[in-house]
Amino acid sequence: YPNSDDSKENPSILVSNDGSSWNVPPGLVNPIDKPSSTSGGHLDDAELFYDAPSDQLWVYYIWEDDKGHPLISRVLRMASQDGVHWGNKLDVIDSPGYSILSPTVAQIGNVYYMWTVNAGMVAAGGCNSQSTTTEFRTSIDGVNWAAPQPVNIQQPGNVIWHPEVESIPSKHEFWMLSADYAIGQQCGATSLFYAKSTDGINWTTYLPMALGTGLLWDHGEIYRSTF
């Protein structure tokens, strides 16, 4: 996503044997998807999820489809057995405006949960939103999702923007890292906050932030992270 150029914000795959040096896996050409000349819009907010029952990697990502006006945000999903060869994309959720952002997926028993951020309609929503709602959906197959329900989470003084949720089985908890920005600012000024939950719906948030900006490469913001 260099210099906020959304034409380059496409889902791509890198691999590492040490967590430090990352490369494109042999046989793969990135990105694994990009808008066509006729589809318009742009892609964003990719989420990689390992599905143990199917032994597959799933990538969820957003297509902001603006060709029809008004804007529609579509959650797409691609699946792979090896991380190199990816199947056809599926359109799994359609939602108006900026009402579904930053999908993050975890499994609770036999049920999949997807958490997303609702930043409203185009006129007052998106990157300049001064309030958002975190929502969750459930699914039994990762493709067909129920209607959204609100999540009980607040980060005082901040707008929740781009979360990442992981299941922590040893603690019977869900942990969240969320890139949030202060009320009065916009989404290019995020810092990272931590939250936890026992049910994925009711969340406890914490201050101070988990990670703020620094003086070098990280002077601008800390964006959505994974752990």
Side-chain angles (χ1 to χ4, degrees), residues 25-43:
L28 176 71
V29 176
N30 279 320
I32 61 172
D33 191 21
K34 59 183 179 181
S36 69
S37 59
T38 57
S39 66
H42 70 274
L43 309 181

Side-chain angles (χ1 to χ4, degrees), residues 1 9 45 161-162 179 187 190-192 221-225:
Y1 191 25
E9 194 182 4
D45 297 358
W161 184 240
H162 277 15
C187 71
T190 54
S191 298
L192 207 62
E221 65 174 323
I222 303 296
Y223 200 44
R224 175 177 172 173
S225 303

Side-chain angles (χ1 to χ4, degrees), residues 13 15 25-26 28 32 48-59 77-88 112:
I13 301 296
V15 297
L28 176 71
I32 61 172
L48 182 65
F49 173 75
Y50 172 64
D51 182 54
S54 66
D55 193 30
Q56 290 182 333
L57 290 169
W58 297 348
V59 170
R77 195 199 80 168
M78 298 179 75
S80 174
Q81 293 289 159
D82 58 8
V84 173
H85 302 92
W86 292 86
N88 294 330
Y112 300 98

Side-chain angles (χ1 to χ4, degrees), residues 34-165:
K34 59 183 179 181
S36 69
S37 59
T38 57
S39 66
H42 70 274
L43 309 181
D44 52 44
D45 297 358
E47 155 86 350
L48 182 65
F49 173 75
Y50 172 64
D51 182 54
S54 66
D55 193 30
Q56 290 182 333
L57 290 169
W58 297 348
V59 170
Y60 292 92
Y61 55 103
I62 302 292
W63 171 28
E64 292 190 7
D65 177 5
D66 60 1
K67 67 180 185 299
H69 302 289
L71 175 73
I72 300 293
S73 294
R74 305 181 188 274
V75 179
L76 308 180
R77 195 199 80 168
M78 298 179 75
S80 174
Q81 293 289 159
D82 58 8
V84 173
H85 302 92
W86 292 86
N88 294 330
K89 59 190 173 188
L90 301 175
D91 184 347
V92 299
I93 303 173
D94 293 354
S95 195
Y98 298 109
S99 57
I100 185 166
L101 300 174
S102 190
T104 180
V105 176
Q107 194 170 11
I108 305 174
N110 294 322
V111 179
Y112 300 98
Y113 270 58
M114 178 189 290
W115 295 266
T116 57
V117 169
N118 187 335
M121 298 297 103
V122 175
C127 193
N128 296 308
S129 297
Q130 293 303 294
S131 66
T132 60
T133 301
T134 306
E135 299 174 331
F136 77 96
R137 293 168 171 81
T138 58
S139 172
I140 59 172
D141 59 9
V143 174
N144 299 286
W145 294 89
Q149 301 181 56
V151 170
N152 179 24
I153 185 171
Q154 297 288 333
Q155 187 63 65
N158 290 270
V159 178
I160 294 177
W161 184 240
H162 277 15
E164 164 80 2
V165 176

